[in-house]
Amino acid sequence: MSISFFWSRAFLTNRFMLWLLFWCNLVGTIYGYKWYGDQIEYTIAHNLIWQVIFVPDSPTASLFFTISVLFLLYPPKTPALTGFSYLMESLAVVTSVKYGIWAVSIIFAGAAQGDHLVWQDWMLVASHLIMAVEALLFVRFFRFGAFMLIPAAAWTFFNDIVDYTFGVYPWLPDELQDHLLGVEYFTIGLTAFSVLLAWLFLRLAKRKTI
């Protein structure tokens, strides 16, 4: 058996694998929202209530992917649900790539500035790398087109604006507090990169080269 079988359509889209992905991502999403619990409570107490939706970035990205996998298991039957599934897929790819790379980068940037990494950090590195990889692997199985990258990009850029305008960005290691402006620029640039990468993988998928 060739190693390429493990990223083939036959392997990745069989119902057992899709259900496994669905439950793993759902559990990860729930855990992620619990992880952000303290910051969510702080935001509710000190910020406008509508801003709280922009606090748990990675769990929301994972939620988009979880919903997208569910639509692979149960394809939508109506135009409204089909449009909604396209939106979820585009958001899943852009945000999973963006926050997957972002979290890993911030963890290692903090370590480079003197932060001591613990086992939870390595768990976060592994889980967020998986987020990015699975999103790019599944681009070819999703049905959204390049047009749907526009609302996905708009949402993600707006998330960045809210995060750094109102201070609801994910809490950073203490060692990075003096580099907040650099983190902001990196975050916005990473959004653009993630949208571009999603578009590129869509083009490659149409040519059946991935």
Side-chain angles (χ1 to χ4, degrees):
M1 180 186 298
S2 170
I3 192 171
S4 62
F5 171 74
F6 294 103
W7 57 80
S8 68
R9 178 182 292 272
F11 178 74
L12 290 175
T13 63
N14 73 76
R15 293 190 73 83
F16 173 81
M17 181 57 65
L18 288 176
W19 276 116
L20 181 62
L21 280 170
F22 172 81
W23 287 111
C24 287
N25 278 275
L26 181 61
V27 170
T29 298
I30 295 170
Y31 177 80
Y33 282 119
K34 289 176 63 68
W35 179 275
Y36 275 91
D38 289 343
Q39 187 173 356
I40 290 172
E41 291 179 4
Y42 179 89
T43 303
I44 292 172
H46 296 88
N47 292 70
L48 297 175
I49 190 64
W50 64 269
Q51 294 168 13
V52 74
I53 194 174
F54 298 100
V55 171
D57 295 331
S58 294
T60 301
S62 179
L63 178 62
F64 292 146
F65 189 83
T66 302
I67 295 171
S68 299
V69 172
L70 189 62
F71 278 123
L72 289 178
L73 285 161
Y74 300 101
K77 304 294 186 182
T78 66
L81 272 179
T82 298
F84 179 69
S85 72
Y86 292 167
L87 178 61
M88 290 295 100
E89 289 170 352
S90 64
L91 284 166
V93 174
V94 171
T95 61
S96 293
V97 171
K98 186 259 183 79
Y99 293 114
I101 296 173
W102 186 91
V104 174
S105 301
I106 292 300
I107 288 171
F108 286 130
Q113 294 294 321
D115 187 26
H116 176 67
L117 299 187
V118 296
W119 71 267
Q120 290 97 331
D121 294 308
W122 294 108
M123 178 270 292
L124 291 172
V125 166
S127 61
H128 283 80
L129 282 176
I130 290 171
M131 279 178 58
V133 170
E134 69 182 2
L136 293 176
L137 279 175
F138 273 79
V139 166
R140 56 192 163 142
F141 310 133
F142 290 153
R143 293 160 292 225
F144 74 96
F147 178 78
M148 291 306 296
L149 288 175
I150 296 174
W155 167 269
T156 312
F157 277 119
F158 184 64
N159 196 338
D160 294 342
I161 292 169
V162 173
D163 277 356
Y164 294 94
T165 299
F166 300 102
V168 295
Y169 53 84
W171 285 343
L172 301 171
D174 291 340
E175 290 78 5
L176 293 182
Q177 293 299 331
D178 292 339
H179 303 276
L180 182 57
L181 186 60
V183 172
E184 178 181 355
Y185 289 158
F186 170 72
T187 302
I188 295 171
L190 191 54
T191 295
F193 171 78
S194 300
V195 173
L196 179 61
L197 195 62
W199 175 81
L200 178 61
F201 269 65
L202 276 177
R203 291 290 301 273
L204 291 174
K206 287 184 177 180
R207 296 178 184 178
K208 298 182 179 179
T209 58
I210 62 172

